[in-house]
Amino acid sequence: MQKLIAKYGAAAHLALLAAAPLFLFPFSQADVIATALLWLSLPAAVWTFMEPSVLDGEMLHNARVRVIRAMTTDPLFWACLVLVAFAGIRALNSGIGLSYDAEKAVWFVSSARFPLFPGSVGFDGYLPFSTAVAATVLIQGCRHSLGRSARMAMLLVSSSLAGAAAVIALVFLGSSNEVVKAGMACAYPMCSFVGLAFALHFFGGLVALVSAFERGWNLTMPFFSLAVGGTAAGAFVFSPAPVSFAVGVCGVALVAYAFLYTCRNLRATGEFKFLVVCGIALTLGGLMAVAFMPEKLLQERLAPYLTFEFRPERLREIRALLTGVAIKSWLEHIWVGTGVGSFPLDFRFAATPENWSQLSSREVPMFNGWCLLLVERGIVGAVAVLLPFGFLAFTYFRRLVEGLGRLALPHPATFLAPLSAVLLGLTGAYDCSVLRADVMMAAVVFLAISASSFLRKKR
């Protein structure tokens, strides 16, 4: 047992950190989730440094030295520290809000305490700061501390926890919790959906299932009812029809490649066992979705699959209107943006009466996550968010080129990065789910694990 804890303890703590927002979203506000992420990041960081995976012929203290040396020589580690400091400054530089000038008798949007620096509205910068801290711990842990088996164990634990969070939301909170009811409805003016995070963990669960058969983890099979079935149910229930359709297409592609991989690498009838377990888990997920979704809502969610009208014309018009107003606001604050959480305030002054007449609600959502990222954070903030993904993508393509000469099929984990990138790129153009803490944390985990899953020559 001690050996098991030492080998997979860091993976379990990192998985708990990655899945924590999914447990908290029905219960807590953004500031509570941010505080929880900071506290969970501390033990995860301690386990990352103190209990890294030990390679063959290596002592634990040698592994610690190896991990510390790898981190301190990794440019991404120092870039993440700079980004954490940047996010902290933005969180502290609040003060943006709606103010009234009694002398001129006009309303206006007040600037941050230090207008030259990136700012935020109230506590809206707290959760992005906590997300940056947690993502730094997750990236370094998956990139340097975890070995191959530990990375697959992390995928199993994180996807199982995410599936458990989906089941809890469906079973215990579906009838009484307003956040879950709103998330299940996926109706306008909502523009951020937790189902995208469940979808990413669904991909992780499928990869973990392949690794479980490879490594003979037969006792873990019951967990895949959550890791695959629970996450699939969460992705369908808490996502609008276009997102769930994209998740289904990517999931079918991943299952097809995983089956091809298992045919080449598993003994006896392992590939058919993979399909059986995967089919049972998905069936359980479908039954959960049907059992807990209201019948009327289920019919509305399935209707676009019959008509292939996933985006109503009305929603397209509103999206174009909001995007145009957002670009108008961004042009006035190109470099540092208008501030995190400030778009609803800026919209009041940038929109025309004709724009207001086209909106059916006084709530101002934003149906383009990439545009919202640019308008609220500016070019500097957008680069800060995308910089870690650029580093991880560079590592991924470098190791992809190194492994092109190998005859063996790459592990299905190597497809987590391109599938996640496609899904995030498509959904980011139509809603703001890509900017959620749970989505961004899962994305950096899968990019780091995917880049580390290519076979490399032993030194």
Side-chain angles (χ1 to χ4, degrees):
M1 179 61 68
Q2 184 178 2
K3 182 179 178 181
L4 183 66
I5 294 174
K7 188 173 183 180
Y8 298 115
H13 280 77
L14 291 171
L16 179 60
L17 175 60
L22 296 177
F23 280 99
L24 296 174
F25 88 92
F27 307 101
S28 308
Q29 300 296 326
D31 56 340
V32 178
I33 296 176
T35 303
L37 289 180
L38 289 179
W39 281 108
L40 288 173
S41 298
L42 179 60
V46 171
W47 276 86
T48 297
F49 284 103
M50 299 304 295
E51 289 291 340
S53 298
V54 178
L55 304 180
D56 293 337
E58 192 178 44
M59 300 295 291
L60 181 57
H61 66 275
N62 299 125
R64 291 170 181 164
V65 172
R66 171 177 53 82
V67 169
I68 293 174
R69 184 182 295 115
M71 287 185 183
T72 53
T73 57
D74 185 1
L76 180 54
F77 173 71
W78 300 107
C80 286
L81 293 183
V82 173
L83 297 181
V84 167
F86 176 83
I89 293 173
R90 184 176 58 202
L92 294 174
N93 190 28
S94 59
I96 300 175
L98 193 63
S99 301
Y100 181 74
D101 189 337
E103 184 177 342
K104 298 181 180 179
V106 293
W107 289 92
F108 67 99
V109 178
S110 61
S111 60
R113 295 192 184 103
F114 303 98
L116 295 178
F117 293 93
S120 59
V121 177
F123 291 99
D124 286 357
Y126 185 27
L127 183 56
F129 166 70
S130 300
T131 304
V133 174
T136 299
V137 175
L138 290 170
I139 290 172
Q140 299 306 316
C142 297
R143 192 172 168 90
H144 300 297
S145 183
L146 301 184
R148 188 173 302 170
S149 294
R151 290 193 294 269
M152 296 301 105
M154 183 192 172
L155 287 180
L156 171 59
V157 177
S158 62
S159 56
S160 298
L161 291 174
V167 172
I168 290 173
L170 289 173
V171 175
F172 296 103
L173 305 174
S175 59
S176 59
N177 188 279
E178 294 298 327
V179 176
V180 173
K181 291 170 66 176
M184 191 179 295
C186 296
Y188 172 79
M190 190 176 182
C191 63
S192 179
F193 310 103
V194 70
L196 183 59
F198 287 121
L200 294 177
H201 286 286
F202 167 62
F203 297 157
L206 291 175
V207 172
L209 179 58
V210 176
S211 298
F213 280 108
E214 279 186 312
R215 290 166 171 77
W217 295 346
N218 297 325
L219 295 179
T220 65
M221 292 301 147
F223 290 100
F224 288 101
S225 59
L226 296 174
V228 176
T231 52
F236 176 76
V237 172
F238 296 107
S239 297
V243 177
S244 58
F245 177 76
V247 172
V249 173
C250 294
V252 169
L254 183 57
V255 170
Y257 179 79
F259 177 71
L260 176 63
Y261 177 85
T262 53
C263 290
R264 291 284 301 272
N265 293 276
L266 295 185
R267 298 178 180 178
T269 58
E271 65 274 16
F272 296 105
K273 294 178 182 178
F274 164 77
L275 287 181
V276 168
V277 175
C278 185
I280 292 175
L282 290 175
T283 301
L284 290 175
L287 292 175
M288 284 189 287
V290 172
F292 294 107
M293 286 187 73
E295 183 178 357
K296 181 180 179 180
L297 183 60
L298 180 62
Q299 293 176 354
E300 293 177 356
R301 193 66 55 80
L302 295 176
Y305 290 93
L306 303 177
T307 60
F308 289 97
E309 286 291 335
F310 290 98
R311 285 286 171 181
E313 188 65 29
R314 168 66 178 163
L315 197 58
R316 296 175 190 172
E317 295 175 359
I318 295 175
R319 175 178 173 272
L321 181 154
L322 294 170
T323 302
V325 175
I327 293 176
K328 179 182 177 182
S329 300
W330 171 66
L331 291 176
E332 299 178 1
H333 306 84
I334 293 179
W335 293 104
V336 296
T338 59
V340 175
S342 65
F343 177 70
L345 301 178
D346 292 317
F347 185 85
R348 300 186 181 188
F349 297 91
T352 63
E354 182 183 354
N355 297 145
W356 281 112
S357 65
Q358 297 180 34
L359 295 175
S360 59
S361 171
R362 283 295 172 181
E363 297 184 45
V364 183
M366 184 62 200
F367 296 102
N368 191 324
W370 307 122
C371 187
L372 183 66
L373 174 66
L374 196 61
V375 67
E376 289 192 346
R377 311 191 191 197
I379 295 177
V380 176
V383 171
V385 171
L386 299 177
L387 186 61
F389 294 94
F391 272 100
L392 293 171
F394 174 79
T395 303
Y396 179 86
F397 285 109
R398 187 188 66 188
R399 294 183 178 176
L400 173 63
V401 172
E402 291 175 356
L404 287 178
R406 298 181 181 274
L407 297 178
L409 287 175
H411 194 274
T414 59
F415 283 79
L416 286 175
L419 286 178
S420 300
V422 169
L423 184 61
L424 294 179
L426 291 176
T427 56
Y430 292 95
D431 59 55
C432 298
S433 304
V434 294
L435 301 180
R436 296 179 59 92
D438 40 28
V439 171
M440 299 194 74
M441 290 164 59
V444 296
V445 166
F446 291 160
L447 276 171
I449 291 178
S450 189
S452 300
S453 298
F454 289 101
L455 292 177
R456 305 177 68 189
K457 293 182 180 179
K458 292 185 177 181
R459 297 181 181 178

